[in-house]
Amino acid sequence: MSQQRPLTPKQRQFLDYLQLQLDQSGHTPSLRQAASDLHISHTAVASMLQTLQEKGWIKREGRYSRSVTLINGAAESDHSLSRSIPIIGRVAAGMPLYAQQEWAGYVCVDRTIYRGDNLFALHVQGDSMEKVGILDGDLAICEPRQFAENGEIVVALIGNEEATIKRFFYRGDHIELVPENDKYKPMRYGLGTVLIQGLLVGIHRGPEQMAGL
């Protein structure tokens, strides 16, 4: 087998996306699904697949075949220290925001730092967690979790409709979600009203957010 040629960051991110879809569903996505998930054209997806094949990272039966084989665990190769994490909708750091179950692309992060399985990212809206460095416009990197310890910062779904990011406390007869901003008061909810969706494990901040600091 010929040696695999290096990938650009965008090509690596696309390869990580293929690996993620393969791990989650058992098959690679269609051109339509990939184009929708990544917010690019069908032509761009086809071109990226062709490039990955030419560089020796994937194998296809034919030019238009949906069946894609990743060669030698390509997405886990030491050629790159990056991985792609799906961005799923938005979460409020302020008043709770209606939970949107939607794909909003991917973010590329350092795999040596973010090692958990099935990590996901959410756009943060609001300033209620700014005292712990979670700012409006950030991407919250989260680990799927259905439980929480007191004091942990979580993504919580309230009444199956509203999602928010807050510090979690179990108070015996109710749940308290506590902001990290003196402008906001703790929110109290009955047991069974709050469902934990994930545990915050990191924050990703892009150039636009940095420029606003």
Side-chain angles (χ1 to χ4, degrees), residues 42-58:
H42 292 196
T43 301
V45 172
S47 176
M48 192 75 75
L49 288 170
Q50 181 64 26
T51 299
L52 292 183
Q53 181 167 308
E54 291 173 352
K55 288 189 172 185
W57 293 88
I58 65 172

Side-chain angles (χ1 to χ4, degrees), residues 20-28:
L20 178 67
Q21 292 298 312
L22 188 62
D23 291 344
Q24 291 183 342
S25 65
H27 57 77
T28 50

Side-chain angles (χ1 to χ4, degrees), residues 96-101 155-164 175 177 187-197:
L97 178 72
Y98 186 81
Q100 302 177 41
Q101 297 298 319
V155 175
L157 187 65
I158 302 169
N160 289 320
E161 291 187 346
E162 299 172 327
T164 190
I175 299 297
L177 298 179
M187 298 178 291
R188 298 179 56 172
Y189 298 96
L191 301 180
T193 303
V194 176
L195 298 177
I196 303 302
Q197 301 290 290

Side-chain angles (χ1 to χ4, degrees), residues 64-155:
Y64 300 103
S65 173
R66 174 174 175 172
S67 178
V68 174
T69 301
L70 276 63
I71 298 175
N72 293 335
E76 299 297 329
S77 169
D78 290 336
H79 284 265
S80 173
L81 296 178
S82 67
R83 64 181 290 191
S84 293
I85 295 176
I87 302 171
I88 307 175
R90 296 177 179 272
V91 62
M95 295 301 293
L97 178 72
Y98 186 81
Q100 302 177 41
Q101 297 298 319
E102 62 180 18
W103 291 83
Y106 287 79
V107 60
C108 193
V109 299
D110 189 332
R111 69 169 64 250
T112 65
I113 297 174
Y114 296 104
R115 300 183 180 184
D117 295 330
N118 301 317
L119 298 181
F120 63 94
L122 291 160
H123 285 288
V124 174
Q125 291 184 328
D127 61 359
S128 76
M129 299 298 287
E130 66 178 17
K131 287 177 67 175
V132 289
I134 303 172
L135 307 180
D136 184 49
D138 284 348
L139 278 174
I141 310 298
C142 304
E143 173 185 289
R145 178 84 78 80
Q146 294 181 321
F147 63 93
E149 302 290 340
N150 279 348
E152 289 184 327
I153 297 177
V154 302
V155 175

